[in-house]
C-alpha cells in the first residue's frame, strides 16, 4: 500500500525545541541545529553540509531516515540514545519482516517506532487457551501486522483473509479487548499519535467482520467495538480532528445500542459535552450535560457524577451565580462518593483527584482564578497524572495564573508544558497553550513571557 501522506516527525521537532538557542533567546532554530550537526559530522559523510531546509524536511516527514552519519550527528546534538527517540525510522523495514517469535508490531511507519502487541502467551495469563500458534494465525489473517496506514485514512488496512471468520470467536473477542486495554495504557503514557493506529486496527477488524461472525459472537464483538470507537473518538479529539472524533462517537452509540449496552449512548453525550469545552461552546456543553441526566437510560452513579460536574462547568461558563455552580459541584461530589463501588468500565477513570481538577476549572470559569490556582497547586502532581494530562492541566493552571495577574508564573508553567504536548501529539493541549499565549500578550515586555511567546511562535 502506498501512503498518501507522511505524518510529521513531532518527536524530532520536540527534541529541537527543548534546546536553547545560542543567544539564550528562545529554542534552537533549524539553522542552528544544522550548524551544530555539521560541526561534529563524521568526515566520511558524502552528502554535503546540512541546511535548515534539510531539518525542515525531517520535521515535516518528507525525510524519514537520513544516512548513517547524519543520524549519528542528530543523536549527539539532540541528546538521545536511539534513532527511534527522535522519530527516525527505516520505512523499508516492515513488521512482517521480523522473526515470528518476536512481538508483532503495529505499523511502524505511522508512529515513528514499533508499538509492541503482546500475544497472550507473553502476558501474565499463561493459562489462556488462545495459544501462540492460533494467535499468530488470527492476527496474520486479520491484517494486524500488515503495511502502514495513515491516520487520516480509516479504511486503509489490508482486507481480511477468507478464513478470518473461524478465528472470530469468544476467545478472539477477549483478545481484542485485551489489546484495547493496551492501547489505553499507551495513550496514558505517550499520547494519541502512538495509541491511535492500533486502535484503528482493532476497529477495522470489528467493522469488517461484525456481519459474518456467528450470531452468538456478534453482540460481544460490538460491545468491544463500541468501547474502541468511543476511545478512538477521544484520541481524535486530543489529536485535534473533531469531525473524526464525532464519527467514532456516533459509531460507538450505534454499536452499543445494537449490543444492548444502553449506558454507552448516555456516556457518549458526556464525551460530546466535554468536546464542546475545546471550542468553549458553553450552551452545547450545558445542554448535553443536562440531556444525559434526563435521558431514558439508567446510568451508574459515577457516570452521573461526571455529567453533573459537566453541568456545573457549563453553568460557570454561562455566568450563573457562584452558589448555583457550587451547589451543582457538591451534588456531583455526592454522586461520585455514592458510585465509589461501581464496577462499570465507563468512567472508571473518574475519581476524586480528577473531580478536584474539574472543580478548579469551574472556579476559573466562574471568575475565581485565585481559588482555582490554589486547587491546581494542591492537586496537580506529576506522579499522579500521565505526562500528557499533566501538561494539559498545567496549561489550564497557567491560564488561571494569568487571569490572577501572575504572568511570570503562568509563562514558566506554559513553557514546561510545550515539550510534552508536542511529544504526545496532543493538539488539544497546544490549543490551550495558544489561549495562554493570547492572554499573556499584555505582559510581553517581561522576559519570562517574551521567552514563552517566542517558543510558541516556533511551535
Amino acid at each position: 500500500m502506498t501512503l498518501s501522506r507522511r505524518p510529521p516527525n513531532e518527536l524530532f521537532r520536540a527534541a529541537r525545541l527543548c534546546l536553547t538557542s545560542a543567544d539564550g533567546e528562545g529554542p534552537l532554530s533549524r539553522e542552528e541545529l544544522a550548524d551544530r550537526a555539521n560541526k561534529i559530522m563524521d568526515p566520511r559523510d558524502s552528502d554535503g553540509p546540512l541546511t535548515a531546509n534539510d531539518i525542515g524536511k525531517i520535521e515535516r516527514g518528507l525525510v524519514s531516515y537520513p544516512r548513517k552519519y547524519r543520524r549519528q550527528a542528530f543523536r549527539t546534538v539532540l541528546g538521545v540514545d536511539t534513532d527511534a527517540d527522535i522519530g527516525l525510522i527505516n520505512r523499508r523495514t516492515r513488521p512482517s519482516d521480523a522473526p515470528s517469535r518476536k512481538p508483532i508490531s503495529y505499523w511502524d511507519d505511522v508512529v515513528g517506532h514499533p508499538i509492541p502487541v503482546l500475544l497472550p502467551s507473553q502476558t501474565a495469563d499463561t493459562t489462556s487457551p488462545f495459544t501462540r500458534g492460533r494467535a499468530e494465525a488470527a492476527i496474520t489473517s486479520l491484517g494486524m501486522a500488515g503495511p502502514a496506514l495513515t491516520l487520516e485514512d480509516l479504511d486503509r488496512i489490508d482486507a481480511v483473509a477468507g478464513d478470518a471468520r473461524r478465528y472470530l470467536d469468544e476467545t478472539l473477542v477477549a483478545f481484542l479487548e485485551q489489546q484495547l486495554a493496551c492501547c489505553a495504557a499507551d495513550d496514558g503514557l505517550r499520547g494519541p499519535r502512538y495509541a491511535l493506529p492500533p486502535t484503528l486496527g482493532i476497529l477495522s477488524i470489528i467493522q469488517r467482520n461484525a456481519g459474518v461472525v456467528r450470531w452468538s459472537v456478534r453482540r460481544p464483538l460490538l460491545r468491544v467495538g463500541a468501547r474502541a470507537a468511543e476511545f478512538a473518538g477521544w484520541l481524535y479529539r486530543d489529536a485535534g480532528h473533531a469531525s473524526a472524533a464525532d464519527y467514532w462517537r456516533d459509531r460507538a452509540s450505534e454499536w452499543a445500542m445494537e449490543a444492548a449496552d444502553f449506558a454507552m449512548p448516555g456516556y457518549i453525550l458526556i464525551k460530546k459535552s466535554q468536546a464542546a469545552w475545546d471550542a468553549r461552546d458553553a450552551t452545547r456543553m450545558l445542554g448535553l450535560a443536562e440531556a444525559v441526566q434526563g435521558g431514558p437510560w439508567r446510568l451508574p452513579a459515577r457516570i452521573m457524577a461526571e455529567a453533573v460536574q459537566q453541568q456545573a462547568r457549563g453553568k460557570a461558563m454561562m455566568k450563573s451565580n457562584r452558589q448555583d455552580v457550587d451547589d451543582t459541584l457538591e451534588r456531583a461530589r455526592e454522586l461520585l462518593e455514592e458510585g465509589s463501588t461501581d464496577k462499570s468500565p465507563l468512567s472508571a477513570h473518574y475519581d476524586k483527584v480528577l473531580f478536584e481538577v474539574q472543580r478548579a476549572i469551574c472556579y476559573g470559569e466562574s471568575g475565581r482564578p485565585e481559588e482555582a490556582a490554589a486547587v491546581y497547586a494542591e492537586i496537580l502532581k506529576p506522579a499522579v497524572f500521565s505526562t500528557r494530562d499533566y501538561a494539559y492541566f498545567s496549561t489550564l493552571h497557567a491560564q488561571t495564573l494569568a487571569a490572577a495577574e501572575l504572568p511570570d508564573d503562568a509563562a514558566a508553567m506554559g513553557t514546561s508544558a510545550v515539550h510534552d504536548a508536542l511529544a504526545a501529539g496532543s493538539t488539544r493541549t497546544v490549543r490551550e497553550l495558544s489561549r495562554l499565549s493570547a492572554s499573556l500578550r499584555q505582559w510581553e515586555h517581561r522576559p519570562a513571557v517574551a521567552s514563552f511567546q517566542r517558543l510558541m511562535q516556533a511551535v
Side-chain angles (χ1 to χ4, degrees):
M1 181 177 65
T2 301
L3 288 171
S4 60
R5 187 195 309 174
R6 298 292 188 190
N9 188 336
E10 299 287 3
L11 285 177
F12 193 94
R13 183 174 66 157
R16 173 176 65 83
L17 294 176
C18 279
L19 298 179
T20 304
S21 176
D23 59 11
E25 299 291 331
L28 192 72
S29 69
R30 291 174 176 175
E31 184 176 5
E32 287 176 308
L33 174 56
D35 289 343
R36 292 189 188 184
N38 286 329
K39 289 178 182 178
I40 62 170
M41 188 75 69
D42 191 298
R44 289 172 289 181
D45 178 66
S46 59
D47 289 336
L50 282 161
T51 66
N53 188 47
D54 293 322
I55 305 302
K57 288 180 179 179
I58 293 173
E59 293 185 356
R60 292 194 299 274
L62 300 179
V63 174
S64 61
Y65 201 62
R67 294 192 183 184
K68 178 172 72 172
Y69 300 121
R70 291 192 170 193
R71 298 198 313 274
Q72 186 179 60
F74 288 141
R75 291 196 305 269
T76 301
V77 174
L78 298 175
V80 299
D81 296 325
T82 69
D83 293 336
D85 290 333
I86 48 177
L88 302 180
I89 188 71
N90 187 352
R91 300 190 189 278
R92 294 180 181 178
T93 302
R94 299 187 308 171
S96 55
D97 295 331
S100 61
R101 297 194 64 82
K102 289 185 178 180
I104 297 174
S105 297
Y106 282 117
W107 308 301
D108 294 9
D109 287 1
V110 176
V111 300
H113 59 78
I115 295 178
V117 181
L118 298 179
L119 301 177
S121 56
Q122 294 170 290
T123 67
D125 183 9
T126 57
T127 63
S128 171
F130 197 46
T131 63
R132 173 183 293 275
R134 187 177 178 194
E136 289 178 345
I139 293 173
T140 301
S141 71
L142 293 171
M144 293 182 73
L149 80 163
T150 63
L151 300 186
E152 293 82 10
D153 300 329
L154 303 182
D155 292 322
R156 284 187 160 189
I157 301 174
D158 280 355
V160 176
D163 65 345
R165 182 181 179 186
R166 63 180 285 205
Y167 297 108
L168 281 167
D169 59 9
E170 293 84 351
T171 310
L172 186 56
V173 169
F175 178 68
L176 293 176
E177 195 166 22
Q178 178 191 37
Q179 292 307 306
L180 180 59
C182 291
C183 293
D186 208 40
D187 172 56
L189 289 172
R190 298 186 292 179
R193 69 187 301 269
Y194 294 91
L196 187 52
T199 301
L200 293 179
I202 293 170
L203 284 165
S204 178
I205 291 169
I206 294 168
Q207 186 163 284
R208 290 175 185 272
N209 293 279
V212 299
V213 295
R214 297 195 314 273
W215 191 251
S216 62
V217 178
R218 180 174 170 82
R219 276 192 173 182
L221 184 66
L222 289 179
R223 287 192 191 102
V224 176
R227 288 173 51 202
E230 186 279 317
F231 181 57
W234 151 248
L235 293 174
Y236 271 117
R237 175 194 168 196
D238 196 27
H241 298 284
S243 59
D246 284 337
Y247 170 84
W248 283 114
R249 291 191 204 102
D250 291 342
R251 181 55 59 89
S253 292
E254 175 188 331
W255 282 346
M257 286 188 285
E258 186 175 348
D261 180 3
F262 299 117
M264 177 64 86
Y267 183 68
I268 292 297
L269 289 187
I270 297 178
K271 300 295 105 176
K272 289 187 175 184
S273 175
Q274 291 171 346
W277 157 260
D278 297 338
R280 298 303 192 267
D281 188 342
T283 54
R284 179 172 169 80
M285 169 175 275
L286 182 58
L288 289 171
E290 292 185 346
V292 175
Q293 300 169 60
W297 36 69
R298 183 174 181 178
L299 300 176
R302 186 185 294 269
I303 298 179
M304 290 298 290
E306 193 168 6
V308 174
Q309 172 267 304
Q310 284 296 114
Q311 181 185 19
R313 194 195 305 189
K315 288 182 174 181
M317 294 170 70
M318 296 285 287
K319 306 306 177 187
S320 296
N321 70 74
R322 294 179 180 180
Q323 190 60 53
D324 189 14
V325 173
D326 290 348
D327 288 346
T328 307
L329 281 172
E330 185 57 33
R331 186 158 61 92
R333 187 198 301 276
E334 292 170 356
L335 284 167
L336 181 60
E337 292 175 354
E338 179 184 331
S340 59
T341 59
D342 284 350
K343 296 183 179 180
S344 170
L346 300 180
S347 281
H349 66 286
Y350 191 67
D351 56 16
K352 292 181 179 180
V353 174
L354 187 54
F355 172 83
E356 289 301 311
V357 171
Q358 301 289 356
R359 180 165 69 94
I361 297 174
C362 289
Y363 284 172
E365 289 299 316
S366 61
R368 292 174 278 180
E370 293 85 359
E371 292 180 54
V375 176
Y376 280 125
E378 179 182 356
I379 209 72
L380 275 184
K381 308 294 180 187
V384 176
F385 294 89
S386 69
T387 302
R388 184 268 320 280
D389 289 349
Y390 183 74
Y392 177 75
F393 290 127
S394 292
T395 302
L396 299 186
H397 183 186
Q399 291 174 5
T400 64
L401 292 173
E405 300 190 355
L406 296 171
D408 292 343
D409 293 341
M413 192 167 291
T415 298
S416 67
V418 171
H419 171 265
D420 292 333
L422 291 174
S426 179
T427 300
R428 182 180 62 124
T429 305
V430 173
R431 286 175 178 168
E432 295 302 332
L433 285 164
S434 296
R435 284 193 173 95
L436 173 62
S437 176
S439 69
L440 289 173
R441 234 166 250 147
Q442 59 183 308
W443 293 291
E444 283 184 334
H445 61 282
R446 303 179 72 91
V449 175
S451 178
F452 172 68
Q453 300 288 44
R454 284 192 295 271
L455 177 61
M456 290 301 298
Q457 289 172 6
V459 170

